[in-house]
Structure formats: structure tokens, C-alpha cells
């Protein structure tokens, strides 16, 4: 009996060190497995760093497929799928360059795949790179109400899960095994996404064709935590534009109209918040471009510049001596920890080193509480439940919190009559500057922001509905112009 052919495609773009780590982990995991006929290749998205030189020097026998331009995640992985389909492979293992394979990862994927012929796509359990004892996600569902992703088993200890093979709506393609023979049925990734939401749409499309998408706890990879990504204007652009496109091509009828109105409303409300509260104008531009490009059916790689603008808040800038005064005169300071846990930890270390007599309280969302288990329990406040802000306000009064500090690029979530400042923090935890926001009393700030968000929601509803009614063939044209291998 001929052994099954498996193509292992490692997608890379300008991550030389990460790619080296991934290659070594893959080769180690595949060594000694004689039941399968493997071909391992690096698919490079026109990297401009030393990735190709590193491959030539350290892995000269490894196959390389080099794209002429950066095709993004969807286009790069489609290079893997097309090669696997044309060369007669039975399975393709898709791996992103910032993943690291743990021993037994491939066997776990293949065992799960072979358990049911209706399984078309299997994803690994993803562990946090900073702390591999914590699960980042084990596949994810798409909310039937909001269409936002709901990661499964996210940010919890990595335990021996009873349900080892779990049906989900999609799996992250940082490590996923696909049955190549079915590609002619449901197609490859949609390259219009370029980045983000491509794996979500692919998973939903596979399920809509009657096949199963599963995540397995038998296969583990290490990857930067999905909940720990730092927001940027570019991230905002792809996240919102592609979310709208995902809805347009995944749903139909009244559900599609409802979801588009809802997400469009949220987009415009977020834009209002960035413009009038955070005064973060690169983000405002990103929101505008995301909505405009969706309405004009401009997809793929963004052809405009957003990152050229500074991402700092536009409030009054403080000098270093003023930072000293702000922290030095406040015995209790609350920090909203919406940046990655690594950056928050570095920032806390820097602050405590400079201001040892100040008490620093960290505020985190409930879904991320386990990531901050290293911090003093009494100084870790958790946001949870519909009345969380009222509880928080009470705790602030009891603990005599004098200042709230909010990390850069994060919407203000605390609406109380206290001084609010914004930290600009580097990735090494260094405080670059502090911006002071306009001071409201608690109710007027809440009313002001709520009104603007309501206006943004209404504006979003009207704009998306007008687009649909002015161009009744909009969705039909989107469907006709899609290329899925």
C-alpha cells in the first residue's frame, strides 16, 4: 500500500528568526515517521530581510517557493494549496512562520483527520508563546448574534481536555491540516482578505458545504497569543473591512442586511470614539478607509498609507518631570491593561522601580484574568458583568484611586469624574510620554460619549443601507468576482 503524501507548507514574510525556529521544530516532529511521504517547503512572500539567505545557508536542501510579491496570508497559503493540489498530495499542513510545532503535533492532526472522512480541516491547540501553560485557543465559533469570533478554551490553563476533537466554525491557520481532495468542492482561501478573517470565512464555507471543521487537543503548537495583539491603524483597517466582507459573502437575505447594519454601526461608533475621545486620528482614517473600501469593493492589500501618521494621543504633552509629579503625588494609580501582557508587565516593572511608594492597580477583562496571575491578587481588578463599571467606581472610591491611566490606542472604557491620562508605552515598557484628556464629570462624560456613539451607529445604519439600495447588484457582483482556485 502506498503511503499517503503530505505537503508541509511554511509561510514566511520577513521573519527570519521565527522561520528558523519553525523549521527546526517541524523537522524534529516529522523525523522517524515512515508511514507518510512528506515534502516540506517554505513559501516566501517576497521577504526583504535575510530569510532567503538564512535558508540557503542553514537549510540548503529545503524546497523554496518564492512569490514575486507579498500576497498576504490568504495568497501565501493558496500557493501551498495550489502546489499540493497539482502535485497530487493527499493532505496539506499549513503553518505560519511565527508558530512553533511541539512534539506529536502532526500525528495528532492526522489521527483526528482520519477519525471521520467528513472532516475536511483540522486545527491544532494553540498555546501562548509567552507562557505555554496557557491555551490561546482551541478553534473558535462565530457568534450567531454579532458575527464576532468566540475562541474556545481561550486563556485558561492547558489541561488534558476530555473532548479531544471539537467541532468549531473555524481554526487558526497557524497550524491546520486540510484534505486536498476536497478543495475542488469548497475552494481555497479568498485572497481578497489578504490578512485577517480569511481563515474564518474558509471555515464557515467548508461547513456550509457539509464538511466538518474541527480542532484537536492532540496537536499542540506555540504561537503569539491572539488576545495579546497590539492595536494599530493597519490592524483596525483589515479587521473592520474584512469583517464586513466576511458578512457579505457568508450570509444572505435579512441576516446579511442585519449583520452589515450592526457591524457598520459599531465601526462608525468606534470612529466617533477615536475622533472625539481618544483623538487618535490615524485610527479615524483607518475606520474611514475600511468602510469606504468595502463599499467600493476594494479588497486585497491596502494601497494607501495609514502608518505614516503618529499614533500618539493629541492631548497636552507632559515632560518627564510632570510624569514624576503625576505618579509621585498619587499613592494609588489604576492602569487599564489592554496592551499585551508582556508590555504591561514591563511597564509595571518600570513604574514600580521609579515609584516604589505608589500602589499600582491593574484592570483587566475577565477573559484575560489568568494571564495576569503573576500580579498581586489584591491589586488585580477584573471587569465582568453588566454592572462592572458601577462596581469599579465603588472600588475606586474605597481604595482612593486618584488617577486612571489608559494605554495608547485603546478606547476609554472608564467613565468617571477623575483625572484621565494616556500612557504612550514602547514595546520594552518604557514610558514615552503622557497625554492628558479633557476632564468631564462622570455623567456628562458618559452622556457625551453615548450620544456620539449613538450618532455613529445611526450613521452606519444609514450609510450601509443606502449603499445596498443604491446598488442592488452589489452582493451579486461580489460573488461573481470571487476566485477560489
Amino acid at each position: 500500500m502506498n503511503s499517503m503524501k503530505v505537503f508541509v507548507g511554511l509561510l514566511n514574510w520577513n521573519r527570519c528568526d521565527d522561520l528558523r525556529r519553525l523549521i527546526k521544530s517541524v523537522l524534529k516532529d516529522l523525523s522517524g515517521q515512515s508511514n507518510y511521504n512528506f515534502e516540506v517547503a517554505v513559501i516566501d512572500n517576497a521577504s526583504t530581510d535575510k530569510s532567503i539567505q538564512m535558508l540557503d545557508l542553514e537549510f540548503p536542501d529545503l524546497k523554496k517557493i518564492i512569490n514575486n510579491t507579498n500576497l498576504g496570508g490568504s495568497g501565501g497559503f493558496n500557493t501551498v494549496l495550489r502546489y499540493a493540489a497539482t502535485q497530487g498530495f493527499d493532505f496539506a499542513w499549513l503553518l505560519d512562520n511565527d508558530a512553533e510545532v511541539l512534539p506529536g503535533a502532526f500525528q495528532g492532526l492526522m489521527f483526528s483527520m482520519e477519525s471521520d472522512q467528513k472532516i475536511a480541516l483540522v486545527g491544532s491547540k494553540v498555546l501562548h508563546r509567552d507562557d505555554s501553560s496557557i491555551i490561546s485557543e482551541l478553534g473558535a465559533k462565530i457568534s450567531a448574534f454579532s458575527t464576532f469570533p468566540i475562541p474556545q478554551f481561550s486563556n485558561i490553563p492547558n489541561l488534558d481536555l476530555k473532548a479531544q476533537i471539537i467541532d468549531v466554525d473555524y481554526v487558526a491557520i497557524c497550524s491546520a491540516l486540510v484534505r486536498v481532495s476536497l478543495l475542488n468542492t469548497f475552494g481555497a482561501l479568498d485572497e481578497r482578505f489578504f490578512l485577517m478573517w480569511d481563515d474564518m470565512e474558509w471555515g464557515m464555507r467548508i461547513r456550509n458545504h457539509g464538511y466538518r471543521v474541527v480542532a484537536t487537543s492532540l496537536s499542540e503548537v506555540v504561537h503569539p497569543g491572539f488576545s495579546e495583539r497590539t492595536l494599530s491603524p493597519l490592524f483596525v483597517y483589515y479587521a473592520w473591512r474584512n469583517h464586513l466582507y466576511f458578512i457579505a459573502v457568508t450570509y444572505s437575505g435579512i441576516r446579511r442586511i442585519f449583520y452589515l447594519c450592526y457591524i457598520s454601526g459599531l465601526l462608525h461608533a468606534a470612529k466617533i470614539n477615536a475622533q472625539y475621545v481618544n483623538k487618535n486620528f490615524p485610527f479615524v482614517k483607518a475606520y474611514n478607509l475600511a468602510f469606504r473600501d468595502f463599499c467600493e469593493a476594494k479588497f486585497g492589500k491596502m494601497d494607501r498609507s495609514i502608518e505614516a501618521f503618529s499614533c500618539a494621543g493629541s492631548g497636552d504633552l507632559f515632560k518627564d518631570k510632570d510624569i514624576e509629579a503625576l505618579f509621585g503625588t498619587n499613592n494609588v494609580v489604576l492602569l487599564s491593561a489592554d496592551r499585551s501582557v508582556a508590555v504591561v508587565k514591563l511597564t509595571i516593572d518600570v513604574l514600580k522601580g521609579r515609584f516604589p511608594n505608589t500602589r499600582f492597580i491593574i484592570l483587566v477583562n475577565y477573559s484575560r484574568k489568568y494571564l495576569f496571575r503573576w500580579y498581586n491578587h489584591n491589586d488585580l481588578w477584573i471587569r465582568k458583568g453588566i454592572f462592572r463599571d458601577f462596581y469599579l467606581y465603588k472600588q475606586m472610591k474605597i481604595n482612593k484611586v486618584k488617577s486612571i491611566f489608559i494605554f495608547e490606542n485603546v478606547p476609554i472604557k472608564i467613565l468617571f469624574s477623575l483625572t484621565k491620562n494616556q500612557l504612550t508605552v514602547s514595546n520594552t515598557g518604557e514610558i514615552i510620554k503622557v497625554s492628558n484628556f479633557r476632564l468631564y464629570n462622570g455623567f456628562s462624560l458618559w452622556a457625551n460619549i453615548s450620544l456620539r456613539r449613538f450618532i455613529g451607529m445611526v450613521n452606519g445604519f444609514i450609510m450601509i443601507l443606502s449603499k445596498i439600495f443604491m446598488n442592488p447588484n452589489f452582493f451579486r457582483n461580489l460573488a461573481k468576482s470571487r476566485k477560489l482556485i
Side-chain angles (χ1 to χ4, degrees), residues 193-211:
F193 286 99
F194 190 77
L195 292 174
M196 304 178 63
W197 285 93
D198 48 351
D199 47 1
M200 303 172 193
E201 188 274 333
W202 198 35
M204 292 290 285
R205 183 168 10 115
I206 292 172
R207 285 174 54 85
N208 289 338
H209 277 82
Y211 294 98

Side-chain angles (χ1 to χ4, degrees), residues 383-399:
R383 289 172 56 86
K384 180 184 178 182
I386 191 171
F387 298 109
R388 59 182 181 266
D389 286 340
F390 295 100
Y391 168 79
L392 180 62
Y393 185 50
K394 180 180 178 181
Q395 290 297 313
M396 289 164 60
K397 289 286 190 181
I398 294 174
N399 289 274

Side-chain angles (χ1 to χ4, degrees), residues 261 264 291 456-468:
C261 288
S264 177
F291 186 77
M457 291 283 286
V458 173
N459 185 38
F461 291 167
I462 294 173
M463 291 183 70
I464 199 68
L465 286 175
S466 63
K467 175 62 181 178
I468 293 170

Side-chain angles (χ1 to χ4, degrees), residues 176-196:
L177 186 71
V178 62
R179 199 183 296 271
V180 175
S181 61
L182 296 178
L183 288 175
N184 288 331
T185 302
F186 50 73
L189 292 157
D190 189 337
E191 296 188 20
R192 285 184 164 189
F193 286 99
F194 190 77
L195 292 174
M196 304 178 63

Side-chain angles (χ1 to χ4, degrees), residues 90-109:
D90 299 295
F91 302 97
W93 188 10
L94 311 177
L95 288 159
D96 210 353
N97 54 7
D98 53 356
E100 182 179 356
V101 171
L102 297 185
F106 174 76
Q107 284 286 13
L109 289 172

Side-chain angles (χ1 to χ4, degrees), residues 108-162:
L109 289 172
M110 186 56 72
F111 176 84
S112 303
M113 179 71 80
E114 293 180 327
S115 67
D116 184 359
Q117 291 298 311
K118 294 293 289 184
I119 295 178
L121 185 66
V122 184
S124 301
K125 180 201 297 179
V126 183
L127 307 177
H128 279 270
R129 173 180 285 184
D130 293 333
D131 187 349
S132 60
S133 68
I134 303 177
I135 299 174
S136 180
E137 72 173 39
L138 183 61
K141 300 276 191 178
I142 298 294
S143 170
F145 172 74
S146 67
T147 70
F148 281 101
I150 307 173
Q152 303 297 288
F153 302 96
S154 178
N155 295 333
I156 65 171
N158 183 22
L159 304 175
D160 184 15
L161 302 175
K162 294 181 180 179

